[in-house]
Amino acid sequence: MRWSKNNLLAFVLDMVLVALGWWLAFWLRFNLDTPDEFQLMMMDTLPWPLLGFGVSLLGWGVYRHIWRYTSVAELTRLIYGVVFAALLTAAAVLMLRVESFPRSVLLLHPMLVLLLLGAARTSARLLLASRVPAASAGKPLLLVGSVQDAAAALPALRGARLWSPVGIVSPVATERGRTLQGLSVLGGMTDLPRIAKHTNAAAAVVVSAVGSDARRQALMGASEAGLPLLTMPRPDDWLRGETGQPRQIELEDLLGRTPVLLDEKGLSDLITGQTVLVTGAGGSIGSELCRQIARFGVARLVCVDVSEFAIYQLEQELRAAHPQMQGLYYTANVREADRLLAIARLHPPTVVFHAAAYKHVPLMESLNEIEALRTNVLGTLHCARVAGAVGAARFVLISTDKAVNPTNVMGASKRLAERVMQAVAAEHAGTRYVAVRFGNVLGSSGSVVPLFTAQIARGGPLTVTHPDIVRYFMTIPEAAQLVLQAGLLGQSGQIFVLDMGEPVKIVELARILIRLSGKTEQEVPVVFTGLRPGEKLFEELLANGETTEPTPHPKLHVAKTNEAGGVDLGAVSQSMVDLGAEPSASSLRAWLHSQVPEYAPR
């Protein structure tokens, strides 16, 4: 530790207090009247407590702390230093065998020193805090969250001069009326509009812990108060040296989910220095998979997508972010088996991630049913067989919760794709095939969030199909990371189900997005349009008769089904031809039901 003038001053002051404590211990021992001979004894032995306390306090790192920010942690370290110093002092005095030395002094002294040193630090903190100029007070800010969460956030908020905390709004009923560091708990979530008006708050910062139910409830409740919503910086914001000021609420904050913990070593062993092929690489999930794979040091990344513009954008991004990586960008279609096989033979992959799919439910429900089957089913068959033909170690199919008890063509096509993957797994023992099911991805192309954002930009209204409709959501990075993790786990033919957390009401999501845009429901109304063809009120992650088994990763589970037998791959391929370019809706649905018995059109 490099000593400053403040450190030296603190050390000298502590030694004065140690000496004062030594005198007080003698004084109290002799009922406030120390005899002359014991005053001499006190002076003769004083160097030993000074030496003992000086060595101990330095050894315990007491002077690394700044008195202005003294807290329980610093006082705990001070206690350790005092106890150790008391032992050193007692050992020195007893070894000297000072005649008639009052041993009670050895007990009184450390208690008095601890009291004096603790009081000095606490007084310094209070004094320095009171000297903050009133002019530095920022805009009034309400803290939304429990007292415990507010206590963790307050030091950073008081150091950020742009804001001045004026009160706490806690979802915990028993905390109302309590105070924390001069701030009162002014009420609960239902009182927020009244409290905001009473305190003239300019904003509310949600301080509930990430991943907690309280955080999500606070976000939902605070949005009703008409206040701009803020939250505390992420840990990586601090690491990048960005400001510690509260930041705007973002879409990811709506989920209240804890970060995904990856098996970094296992994924590095799987990907680093290898060739990986990603289909649908230009899409929301596919492009994020490419970013994550590039981060693990892949030697060659083969990106396949039917969209020229999407693959161009991906190429530009990855070339800039990972110039050392060899990226190969193909505008190819997964429906064309020969082209896929040619690409894979040129660059034999260790892992294949199959993200190419049509996923928009209403669009695939009429006019485009055959397109959903050709891309989602036939495309999966081609990719899976190519992976086996070139000796890939792993093949990962990205599926959806809409494949569970499907009520629409898109969901049924993805369920059939899962069964196709399992049938191909039986043909290629050297390749491990798995599928991963998850729900809606927040902010992905074609999802509800970009739709709502565009509707808000046009001034509304926001269209919600039903007031009770709910969906599971996760962020794009979280989804991609769990797909990578699933590729590392399990046995061939398994279907993984992701922990999607709690479902979110779409109408609540709409209202939050309106509030985040700085508008009100009076300015941008929400209207209900009715369920669309094939749409459910809620999605499921497990079909009837399915259960789950745990995996080494807490957010991944294996779906176990009693369904026996696979699909006839030859018959599936031939049916795609037999259905023709313009199949009737009834014949297509009848064939799909024959392959996916749980498919129940609505």
Side-chain angles (χ1 to χ4, degrees), residues 137-335:
K139 292 179 283 188
L141 180 71
L142 285 173
L143 279 65
V144 180
S146 69
V147 168
Q148 180 179 354
D149 293 327
L154 263 178
L157 289 172
R158 282 180 165 157
R161 298 193 174 189
L162 182 62
W163 299 101
S164 177
V166 293
I168 301 170
V169 179
S170 173
V172 183
T174 56
E175 293 181 349
R176 296 175 190 179
R178 299 178 65 184
T179 60
L180 170 71
Q181 299 180 29
L183 287 183
S184 298
V185 178
L186 302 175
M189 296 304 304
T190 56
D191 305 315
L192 187 53
R194 174 186 59 81
I195 295 170
K197 184 177 181 180
H198 175 72
T199 58
N200 293 318
V205 57
V206 179
V207 296
S208 299
V210 173
S212 67
D213 290 337
R215 179 180 179 84
R216 196 161 144 210
Q217 291 171 9
L219 282 168
M220 296 299 183
S223 68
E224 301 296 328
L227 283 175
L229 294 180
L230 307 174
T231 190
M232 297 303 291
R234 303 183 188 91
D236 54 347
D237 292 336
W238 294 93
L239 291 174
R240 289 194 297 265
E242 295 180 10
T243 176
Q245 297 279 0
R247 61 175 175 82
Q248 292 289 329
I249 295 284
E250 296 176 359
L251 292 179
E252 290 81 356
D253 299 305
L254 302 178
L255 297 179
R257 293 168 65 84
T258 53
V260 175
L261 297 176
L262 295 177
D263 179 1
E264 301 272 352
K265 183 181 184 303
L267 288 172
S268 293
D269 293 342
L270 177 67
I271 293 173
T272 302
Q274 303 296 323
T275 298
V276 176
L277 188 150
V278 180
T279 69
S284 304
I285 298 298
S287 60
E288 182 62 28
L289 273 172
C290 291
R291 295 182 195 102
Q292 299 286 345
I293 292 165
R295 184 171 68 87
F296 280 101
V298 65
R300 184 183 296 111
L301 181 58
V302 184
C303 304
V304 177
D305 198 285
V306 73
S307 168
E308 177 190 28
F309 181 63
I311 208 74
Y312 166 75
Q313 284 187 311
L314 182 66
E315 177 196 26
Q316 295 299 302
E317 178 185 343
L318 293 183
R319 284 191 190 280
H322 303 279
Q324 79 290 348
M325 182 190 75
Q326 183 182 359
L328 301 156
Y329 304 91
Y330 287 92
T331 56
N333 196 325
V334 294
R335 296 180 182 184

Side-chain angles (χ1 to χ4, degrees), residues 22 29 50 60 95 128-129 141-142 169 172 177 326 421 465 530 596:
W22 193 246
R29 165 62 181 81
L50 291 175
W60 281 97
M95 288 176 64
L128 292 170
L141 180 71
L142 285 173
V169 179
V172 183
Q326 183 182 359
M421 179 274 297
T465 57
V596 183

Side-chain angles (χ1 to χ4, degrees), residues 275 348-352 384 386-395 428-433:
T275 298
T350 302
V351 187
V352 175
V386 164
V390 299
R394 288 175 173 82
F395 174 89
H428 298 278
T431 300
R432 184 184 298 177
Y433 291 84

Side-chain angles (χ1 to χ4, degrees), residues 130-142:
S130 67
R131 291 172 60 187
V132 176
S136 68
K139 292 179 283 188
L141 180 71
L142 285 173

